Amino acid sequence: MILSRRWLEAMLGRALDPRDLEHRLSMLGAPVEGVVPLHQDLGDVLIAEVLEVKKHPNADRLSLCFVNAGAASPVEVVCGAPNVQAGKKYPYAPVGAVLPGGLKLDRRKIRGIESNGMLCSTKELGLGDDHAGIMQLDTEAAPGVRFLDVVPVADHQIVIEVTANRPDLLCHKGVARELGASLGAVVKLPEIPGGEAAVGPGGGPTVRRSGPDGARGTVDGVELRLEDAEGCPRYLAAVIRGVTVGESPTWLAQRLRSIGQRPINNVVDATNYILFELNQPLHAFDLAKLRGPAVVIRRARGGEKIVTLDGVTRTLTPEMTAICDVERPTIVAGVMGSAESEVSATTTDIVLECAYFQPTRIRRTRRALELSSESSYRFERGIDMAAMPDALRRAIELIIAVAGGELREPPLDLWPVPVEERTIFLRPARVELLLGMPVARPEIEQLLSSIGFFVAPKDARLAVQVPGWRPDVTREVDLIEEIARLKGYDAFPDELRPYRPGTVPDAPLERATARVRGELAQAGFYEARTFPLGPADGPDSIPVLNPMSAEEGHLRTRLLPGLVRRVEHNWSGRTRDIRLFEVGTVFRLGKGEEGSGKGVPDEWISVAGVLTGARRPPHWTEGAKVPDMDLWDLKYHFELAVRLAHPSSRLRAAPGGRGWEAIGPDGAVVGWAGTLEGDAPVWAAPLFGFEVRLVLDERAPVRYRPLPTTPAVERDVALVLPPGVTAEAVAGVLRRHAGPLLDSLAVFDEYRGPGIAAGYRSVGWRCSFRDPGRTLVENEVDTILAAALQALEAELGVRRRTAG
Amino acid sequence: MRDLLAAVHALRERLGAIPQADERQLQDLKTEILGRKAGALTKILGELPALEPADRKAVGGAANALKRELEEAIAARERALAVAARTGGSVDLTMPGRPAWRGGLHLVTQVVDEICDIFREMGFTRAVGPEAETEWYNFGALNFPKDHPAIDAQDSFYLSPGVLLRTHTSPVQVRTMERYPPPIRVVSPGQCYRRDPFDPSHSPVFEQVEGLVVDEGVSFVDLKATLSAFARKCFGPHTATRFSPSYFPFTEPSADMQVTCSVCRGSGCPTCKQSGWIEILGSGMVHPAVLENCKIDSERYTGFAFGMGPHRIAMVRHGIPDIRLFFESDVRFLSQFTGRAAP
C-alpha cells in the first residue's frame, strides 16, 4: 500500500516527518518498506511572470518572452509553447537549474537569440505527461518565489506492508486513524474543493433504505434488484445525470499521481480517490449502456461471457456474482467492469455503485479468472459495511464537484439483512494474564477508544463494540492484542521468569540423524542438502499436482539421483575429489502412517553418500599420484552407513555383481551400494554411491570386554580358492573348525597369476589364536589350524598354497 | 669376579657416546664390545660358566642388562642416521604435514543445531513431524480461515486434494499438543515447502525452526524475554531486540522480532538496508483457537510460539549473498564452514 505523506497530513491537520512516520507505523504493525521522496528535485524552479511576448525573429513557432523572475530586471527567454501569454505565471527554470532527470540548464542561443533559462511544461517537471504547452499557474505568489513553496507537489510516498488481517490499513483514513491514536491527533477528512457548491452543506442527500424485503427498488428511473444477497449482502447505488467527462482538476490528478496512480478521467479518478481515501471500492458505469435500465445483482449463469476493461473475454460461472442489466453482465462483481459499460468521453449519465461483496466469493472469482484489481484485493479482505453510505455520499460530492451533473434522487440502499456491530466482552484480568503485566482499566478504555472502539463497563468486564472497519477483531484475545499493540511492545519488560520443564521427550529421530551426520562428516564427507523435488526417479515417485516446473514435478524416492546431480555440478566447477552425503526425507506412495489422512505418502529418512576421486589428499612424501577410490572404499563406507543407520541389516552382493545390498531382518532390501553413472568429464574418477534407510533401534549399552592378558599366536596361510568360492565361505569354515581359540581372522593379500591355475586365486589370511586363560602352545595352534585346513579342502576344495 | 663386574661397569661408560656416533664409529663400537668373537662384553659373558653360581648371577645380570641397553641405543642411532641419510642430512620442518580428507556438516545443519542447543539450555526439547501434511494440520488446526488471503502468503505444493507439503513446521506444534499434555517446551526444526521462485533470496524448499511453549501463566513477557535471551546467545551478548506487531493466524498477539544488525551494530549498512535492524523471527501468543483445536483448555493454559529461518540467519551471520548456494552443494562452499559456526 502506497501512502502520500501530504494526504495523511491533510487528514491529521499537522506536518509529519517521514522518518518518524516510518518508526510509528512499524511499531503499530504496518512496517514501512520504503520512503520515496516525490518532486523534491524541483527546488531550483521559480515562479515567473511573463511580461511581454514577441515573435522570435528567426523562427515561426518560437516566441521571445520577457520574464520577471524576481530579479531587478526582466530576462529574455525563448519559448516554444503555443500557450504562452503575457500577464500569466509559469514555472521557470533559471540558468544553472537542474531539472528532474538531471538536465542542467545552460545559457544558450536558440536560432540566434540567447535564452536565459526555460519556461517549463508539466512533463519537464515530472508532474504529468503534457508536453504540448507550458504549465500555467493560477497563483497570487510573487515572481521569484520557489515553485515548491506555491504548488504543493513535494511529497513522500510511504510504502507500507499491510497484513491480511488489516484491510482498514488499505486506505489513508485507516492509517491516519492509527497515527492519530499514536500522535494524539484527530482525523478529519479534507474538504473537497467545490464540494459545498456542488451538493450544498452537509454533503448532499442521505441514502434511503429500499422497500420491505430490502432487495429491490428504483432510483431515478433505474430498477435495482438484489438477487444474490449471499454474494452481495449490501448494495447502494446512485444515479448522477449530466456529468461532463474530462480531465480531473490538478489537485485530484496530483493526489492520485502522488500514490503512483495514473489519472484517467474525472469520474474514474473520483472513484479511485475514494478507494484510496476510505477503502470503499466504487464503480461508475454508463447508464446509457444499461439495458432496461436495470441493475440486477445475481449469480452469473454458467457460460455467460463478458469482455472486461482489459479487453479480455471472460467466461463466468454460477460461483461468481455478476452485476447485470436485464440481459447480460456488465460487471464481474468486485473484480472488474466491462469495456462496454465503461465511463467514456461521451458518457453523460452514470450509475454509481457502492457495494459489499462477500470476501470468499471474490477470492474464488479472482482466482478462477486469474484477475486481480485494487477492488478485489480490498473486497477479499473485507471492507467496512457500516461506512458505505458515507463513502457513497462523499463520492457523489466529489464527482459533482469535478465533473458536474446532478443527483435527482437520493441514493438507494439495498440491505436485506442488516448486520449489527459486534460486541465483545473483555476481562481486564485476562489482559494481565496474557500480557504478563497489568494494564489499568482506564488505560484499556483509552487505548481502545483511540482507534474507534466503543467501550462501556459491564460488571467486572468491559463491553467493547467493534467498528465496522475491523473485521479481524472477533474475540477477546483480539482486543488484548490491540491493547498490547497500542501500548507499544516496547512497554513490556524483558524479564526471564521461571518455567516448568516440559513433558515432551527429545525426538529419537533427531538424535539418530545427528549421530549419522556426525559420523559421516568425520569419515571425510561433506553434508549436502538437495531439493526433495525433482524429476520422477522411480515408479513409486509421487507427482506434485501443481509443480513449478516439470523438472521439479515429483518427490524423490531416493537421495542418490539428487546427489549425482550435485557431483555433476562439482565436476562443472573442475572439482575432482568429491565426497558428499545427505540425510534427508524421501517419499513413496503409501497407505499413510497411522493418524494421518488418506493420500498422505509414506516418508522416511534416508542416508546416502557419493564418493569419487583420490583416496586421500596428495602429499609431497608420496610424490606420485594418490590412487583413486574404488569399490573397496565404497564398501567400507557403505558398511559404516549401514552400521549407523540400519544395524540390524546384513550385506550381500547385489544381483548383477557390481555392488551390494543391505537386507533387513524381514528380508527387505533397505540399502544399496555400487557404481553410479553421471555426466562425467574425461578427467573424472569413477563415481560410487550408497544409500540406506534409517531405522530407529534400541541400542543396548556396549558391554566391556576384558583386555587380553595372554599372548596371541599368529599364523599366515595362503589358500588357493577355486572359482566360485568366496572369502566369506572360507572364513565361515575356518571359524567353525578352528573354534573359539581363533581370536581374529583377516585377509591380507590376494594373488592371481603365474603359479596359480587360471580362474583360481590365492588369498592370504592372518589367523590369530588366543586363549584368554593361558598361554597357547605352538603345537596346539598348528593342530587346530591343520584340522581347519583339512575341513576347508573337504568342504570347499580349498588347499594351502605350496611354496614355489 | 670383582674384575669382571668392574669391566662391565667400565663398558657402561661407552653408552654415552652412542647418540653422537657416526656410522663408522658405530660399527667399530659394535665390533669392539659386542663382536661375536673378540667383543669385550662377549668375552665377559663367555667367562660366566666358570664362575661360582652366586657370582654368575651377579655378573650375568649386569652384563646382560648392559648388552640390551647397548643394542637398543645402537639401533636407535642407526634409525636416526638412516632418516638423516634419506633427507640429505637435515629435516625441513616447514614442509607440510600429511593431511587426511575432512568432511563437515552443512552450514544450515550447524545453524539449526546451534539454535536448538540455545533453546535446549532454556529447557526445550526437539520435536519432529512429517513433511507431507494434511490441510488440517498445516492450516485448519492453526486457525487459518478457509479461503482467506492469509493462505496466499504460503502458496503450497499439493500432492492430492487436502494433502500438501507443509509450508511451515507449525503442524508439529499441533501434533505435539495432541500427544503431550502441558507443560510443553519444544523446538521443531525441519524442511518446508512454498511455491516461491528460486532466486537469490527465495527457495521453494527451506528450513525452519519453530518453537512452542504452553503452560499455565505463560505471557507475552515470557515470549519477549525468552526470545531476547535467544538473540543474545545467537548474535552476541550486546544484541538488542525490538518487537513489533505482526500477523499470523495461529498467534494473537503476534510479533516480529528484530535484532541489531550484527554487521554494523546498529549504525546502518547494506545488510540491514540502513535501518540498523534485521528481522529474525515471527512469534506470538498461541491463539486460543489453536489450543482448543488441540483439546487444550484455553482458559487455563496460554503459550507462545515462534519461527525462524536458519538459511536467513546463516546468510546474515556469514555474509552469504545468495540462498541458492546452500543447495548447490559445491564442496568449495561446503568446506568453508567445516568448523562449528562461531557467533
Side-chain angles (χ1 to χ4, degrees):
Chain A
M1 171 72 191
I2 299 176
L3 301 163
S4 148
R5 169 181 57 82
R6 235 173 228 286
W7 200 336
L8 293 172
E9 284 174 345
M11 287 185 168
L12 289 163
R14 56 176 288 172
L16 299 168
D17 171 54
R19 274 207 79 89
D20 177 66
L21 269 187
E22 193 173 344
H23 182 72
R24 273 179 207 279
L25 288 171
S26 297
M27 292 326 240
L28 284 166
V32 173
E33 289 175 336
V35 175
V36 185
L38 287 185
H39 309 306
Q40 314 276 355
D41 48 7
L42 297 177
D44 293 341
V45 179
L46 306 174
I47 303 292
E49 183 177 3
V50 173
L51 303 172
E52 189 187 350
V53 180
K54 294 201 289 189
K55 231 182 78 57
H56 191 292
N58 307 327
D60 284 347
R61 294 194 183 159
L62 298 180
S63 45
L64 191 56
C65 309
F66 293 89
V67 172
N68 173 10
S73 54
V75 290
E76 268 189 303
V77 176
V78 176
C79 180
N83 66 334
V84 64
Q85 276 180 280
K88 300 281 187 187
K89 288 176 183 161
Y90 303 97
Y92 163 71
V95 170
V98 180
L99 289 179
L103 173 73
K104 190 175 179 202
L105 285 181
D106 299 327
R107 178 174 290 113
R108 63 187 186 101
K109 282 189 174 174
I110 300 172
R111 294 283 178 107
I113 306 268
E114 194 162 87
S115 180
N116 297 287
M118 181 170 87
L119 297 172
C120 306
S121 68
T122 55
K123 190 170 184 188
E124 280 152 350
L125 297 180
L127 296 174
D129 303 323
D130 187 4
H131 195 52
I134 51 177
M135 183 180 181
Q136 191 174 309
L137 299 172
D138 185 18
T139 173
E140 299 298 312
V145 173
R146 272 174 21 119
F147 174 76
L148 283 184
D149 296 340
V150 177
V151 185
V153 291
D155 200 347
H156 287 91
Q157 279 187 350
I158 320 275
V159 187
I160 60 168
E161 189 192 322
V162 178
T163 52
N165 61 327
R166 293 297 303 273
D168 61 306
L169 298 182
L170 293 170
C171 68
H172 284 76
K173 186 183 183 188
V175 174
R177 186 185 296 123
E178 294 276 315
L179 288 171
S182 165
L183 294 160
V186 179
V187 180
K188 194 165 167 283
L189 293 183
E191 258 178 46
I192 293 170
E196 196 170 316
V199 293
T206 50
V207 300
R208 38 190 184 109
R209 294 294 299 277
S210 64
D213 67 349
R216 55 180 61 225
T218 307
V219 59
D220 198 359
V222 179
E223 188 196 351
L224 297 183
R225 285 210 309 269
L226 175 53
E227 295 177 356
D228 179 16
E230 186 197 334
C232 177
R234 191 174 193 185
Y235 192 90
L236 283 77
V239 173
I240 304 173
R241 294 186 187 264
V243 297
T244 308
V245 177
E247 249 182 62
S248 286
T250 313
W251 75 265
L252 178 55
Q254 192 51 49
R255 194 121 276 179
L256 290 175
R257 279 203 194 90
S258 72
I259 56 165
Q261 294 291 318
R262 198 168 56 87
I264 295 166
N265 62 49
N266 45 12
V267 175
V268 173
D269 292 352
T271 60
N272 280 338
Y273 177 93
I274 298 297
L275 174 80
F276 293 108
E277 185 182 69
L278 302 177
N279 201 31
Q280 173 64 57
L282 298 159
H283 198 91
F285 47 107
D286 193 338
L287 178 54
K289 307 285 169 55
L290 209 59
R291 284 156 284 254
V295 175
V296 183
I297 302 104
R298 59 165 167 85
R299 281 177 182 269
R301 300 187 184 109
E304 252 178 339
K305 290 195 165 39
I306 180 170
V307 181
T308 42
L309 266 177
D310 51 6
V312 180
T313 305
R314 317 264 175 187
T315 308
L316 307 182
T317 72
E319 294 301 302
M320 304 169 182
T321 304
I323 313 301
C324 313
D325 59 18
V326 289
E327 285 175 20
R328 65 180 81 138
T330 62
I331 305 173
V332 183
V335 181
M336 197 174 274
S338 70
E340 185 197 15
S341 67
E342 181 186 5
V343 171
S344 67
T346 57
T347 304
T348 56
D349 301 340
I350 59 169
V351 178
L352 184 59
E353 162 194 297
C354 175
Y356 179 100
F357 296 112
Q358 211 264 321
T360 59
R361 179 74 63 85
I362 297 302
R363 178 177 164 80
R364 286 180 194 161
T365 304
R366 187 262 299 169
R367 286 164 71 98
L369 296 178
E370 290 177 348
L371 180 65
S372 296
S373 62
E374 292 282 357
S375 297
S376 71
Y377 192 83
R378 285 167 173 77
F379 284 127
E380 206 180 303
R381 283 157 177 77
I383 60 162
D384 182 355
M385 204 188 285
M388 291 167 67
D390 286 343
L392 179 60
R393 290 177 69 218
R394 189 161 165 87
I396 293 164
E397 179 182 345
L398 179 55
I399 288 173
I400 297 177
V402 299
E406 62 167 330
L407 189 75
R408 292 197 205 149
E409 270 184 35
L412 190 66
D413 181 1
L414 306 184
W415 197 12
V417 188
V419 180
E420 297 210 346
E421 286 188 331
R422 212 176 3 253
T423 298
I424 300 173
F425 294 99
L426 175 67
R427 298 163 292 174
R430 189 77 189 165
V431 176
E432 177 174 356
L433 183 85
L434 195 66
L435 298 182
M437 189 177 86
V439 184
R441 208 171 148 126
E443 191 182 359
I444 292 175
E445 292 181 29
Q446 180 269 321
L447 290 171
L448 290 175
S449 310
S450 73
I451 52 165
F453 289 81
F454 183 77
V455 187
K458 172 85 181 169
D459 30 278
R461 303 174 299 170
L462 296 169
V464 182
Q465 211 175 76
V466 181
W469 60 81
R470 292 301 302 271
D472 59 309
V473 176
T474 58
R475 13 189 328 174
E476 185 184 41
V477 69
D478 299 321
L479 293 173
I480 297 175
E481 172 170 65
E482 291 304 295
I483 294 162
R485 193 173 68 82
L486 294 165
K487 195 163 171 54
Y489 285 0
D490 284 346
F492 297 86
D494 175 0
E495 180 187 302
L496 211 49
R497 296 173 179 171
Y499 61 83
R500 298 198 287 176
T503 59
V504 187
D506 244 339
L509 196 63
E510 283 287 282
R511 295 193 171 210
T513 54
R515 209 171 72 90
V516 174
R517 284 190 168 109
E519 293 272 356
L520 288 174
Q522 284 286 310
F525 287 71
Y526 287 109
E527 186 186 8
R529 283 175 166 251
T530 69
F531 265 24
L533 296 165
D537 61 6
D540 292 341
S541 66
I542 300 168
V544 174
L545 294 184
N546 55 341
M548 295 176 65
S549 71
E551 297 81 57
E552 285 163 10
H554 288 76
L555 283 172
R556 63 187 175 193
T557 63
R558 296 177 288 144
L559 300 177
L560 275 177
L563 282 174
V564 171
R565 288 192 286 274
R566 296 301 94 213
V567 170
E568 288 166 349
H569 175 81
N570 276 284
W571 277 336
S572 72
R574 308 227 134 243
T575 304
R576 187 174 182 276
D577 302 325
I578 306 159
R579 300 160 314 284
L580 297 173
F581 78 92
E582 182 166 13
V583 178
T585 311
V586 295
F587 305 81
R588 203 161 287 185
L589 285 172
K591 280 169 262 147
E593 304 263 324
E594 195 189 338
S596 56
K598 227 177 94 184
V600 176
D602 287 340
E603 59 176 82
W604 64 88
I605 300 289
S606 192
V607 176
V610 283
L611 47 152
T612 178
R615 184 170 295 153
R616 56 181 177 274
H619 190 245
W620 54 274
T621 50
E622 291 166 309
K625 195 172 157 285
V626 174
D628 282 334
M629 286 188 285
D630 59 20
L631 270 182
W632 309 109
D633 295 287
L634 169 67
K635 188 178 185 192
Y636 168 77
H637 288 111
F638 183 42
E639 285 173 332
L640 172 67
V642 167
R643 210 156 53 235
L644 292 165
H646 213 123
S648 61
S649 66
R650 60 187 174 77
L651 254 55
R652 73 171 183 212
R658 300 289 286 174
W660 297 270
E661 286 175 343
I663 308 298
D666 59 354
V669 177
V670 298
W672 177 88
T675 50
L676 293 170
E677 297 295 324
D679 187 7
V682 287
W683 45 261
L687 174 63
F688 305 96
F690 60 84
E691 179 153 3
V692 59
R693 178 175 181 153
L694 180 86
V695 289
L696 290 175
D697 63 329
E698 297 289 322
R699 271 166 209 269
V702 175
R703 300 290 304 174
Y704 164 75
R705 278 171 312 174
L707 304 181
T709 52
T710 54
V713 176
E714 285 180 354
R715 290 287 182 273
D716 288 353
V717 288
L719 302 174
V720 178
L721 277 56
V725 175
T726 65
E728 191 180 27
V730 171
V733 173
L734 276 176
R735 282 188 191 284
R736 188 148 35 90
H737 289 275
L741 294 182
L742 180 59
D743 192 41
S744 75
L745 187 61
V747 172
F748 67 85
D749 178 46
E750 187 195 46
Y751 172 76
R752 296 170 205 251
I756 302 292
Y760 285 61
R761 61 195 171 123
S762 164
V763 178
W765 304 84
R766 176 152 301 159
C767 314
S768 180
F769 295 87
R770 191 197 306 272
D771 185 322
R774 67 193 169 94
T775 302
L776 284 176
V777 181
E778 306 255 337
N779 284 343
E780 200 179 347
V781 169
D782 291 335
T783 311
I784 295 170
L785 190 59
L789 291 174
Q790 214 165 14
L792 263 182
E793 183 163 2
E795 292 182 27
L796 299 174
V798 170
R799 291 162 170 253
R800 194 163 185 168
R801 185 176 168 191
T802 47
Chain B
M1 191 283 275
R2 282 270 160 86
D3 297 346
L4 287 175
L5 271 180
V8 170
H9 197 72
L11 284 173
R12 184 167 279 281
E13 304 281 304
R14 310 290 297 273
L15 267 171
I18 294 174
Q20 285 80 43
D22 64 21
E23 241 166 290
R24 156 155 253 146
Q25 289 166 331
L26 215 53
Q27 197 51 50
D28 292 348
L29 194 78
K30 272 161 81 177
T31 316
E32 185 195 332
I33 302 175
L34 299 171
R36 243 173 226 240
K37 288 181 181 148
L41 198 55
T42 317
K43 278 188 187 162
I44 293 170
L45 289 165
E47 287 182 36
L48 288 179
L51 297 180
E52 293 294 311
D55 293 346
R56 197 189 302 157
K57 197 170 181 186
V59 176
N64 274 316
L66 177 61
K67 187 182 177 191
R68 224 169 18 248
E69 282 176 68
L70 282 167
E71 281 169 349
E72 276 167 19
I74 289 167
R77 182 57 187 159
E78 278 173 346
R79 279 197 302 274
L81 286 171
V83 170
R86 268 207 311 278
T87 57
S90 70
V91 179
D92 177 359
L93 296 174
T94 68
M95 291 292 273
R98 183 173 288 117
W101 285 139
R102 45 185 313 198
L105 298 180
H106 195 281
L107 179 57
V108 167
T109 303
Q110 296 178 38
V111 172
V112 168
D113 286 346
E114 192 186 335
I115 292 167
C116 292
D117 287 349
I118 291 171
F119 282 106
R120 182 181 299 285
E121 289 176 30
M122 296 191 275
F124 288 73
T125 49
R126 280 171 89 145
V128 290
E131 293 179 20
E133 271 291 6
T134 60
E135 273 182 331
W136 169 251
Y137 281 106
N138 197 73
F139 291 129
L142 291 163
N143 196 38
F144 277 79
K146 226 176 155 50
D147 259 323
H148 191 266
I151 293 178
D152 290 351
Q154 308 206 358
D155 196 359
S156 322
F157 289 106
Y158 275 85
L159 303 179
S160 58
V163 179
L164 46 82
L165 293 171
R166 67 179 177 194
T167 57
H168 44 192
T169 57
S170 314
V172 181
Q173 289 183 20
V174 179
R175 290 178 177 277
T176 303
M177 285 190 276
E178 282 179 344
R179 195 162 162 203
Y180 298 97
I184 289 170
R185 288 177 84 81
V186 292
V187 278
S188 49
Q191 206 145 247
C192 307
Y193 303 78
R194 287 182 198 176
R195 296 182 80 254
D196 281 337
F198 196 37
D199 67 22
S201 48
H202 297 88
S203 166
V205 180
F206 59 96
E207 193 77 12
Q208 201 179 48
V209 177
E210 277 226 345
L212 173 71
V213 173
V214 179
D215 199 358
E216 291 170 5
V218 175
S219 75
F220 190 66
V221 168
D222 296 309
L223 176 156
K224 267 191 80 171
T226 306
L227 296 179
S228 295
F230 161 75
R232 286 188 292 271
K233 286 187 175 172
C234 187
F235 295 97
H238 303 295
T239 304
T241 55
R242 189 168 84 170
F243 292 80
S244 57
S246 188
Y247 169 63
F248 309 103
F250 43 101
T251 54
E252 190 89 14
S254 302
D256 283 331
M257 182 178 87
Q258 296 175 312
V259 298
T260 38
C261 176
S262 51
V263 177
C264 63
R265 295 185 178 276
S267 59
C269 69
T271 302
C272 58
K273 293 188 189 131
Q274 307 304 330
S275 71
W277 295 95
I278 291 182
E279 196 175 308
I280 285 302
L281 57 81
S283 64
M285 302 303 296
V286 179
H287 198 291
V290 176
L291 296 173
E292 287 150 19
N293 285 336
C294 300
K295 312 270 187 299
I296 289 178
D297 180 352
S298 65
E299 275 295 305
R300 180 173 169 197
Y301 293 103
T302 51
F304 67 85
F306 52 89
M308 65 190 96
H311 281 112
R312 183 170 158 69
I313 291 176
M315 288 169 83
V316 167
R317 273 202 342 194
H318 299 275
I320 296 165
D322 191 326
I323 197 171
R324 292 175 293 194
L325 285 162
F326 290 106
F327 296 96
E328 281 177 357
S329 299
D330 192 315
V331 294
R332 294 168 300 180
F333 173 81
L334 299 174
S335 60
Q336 290 179 22
F337 308 100
T338 43
R340 283 292 286 185

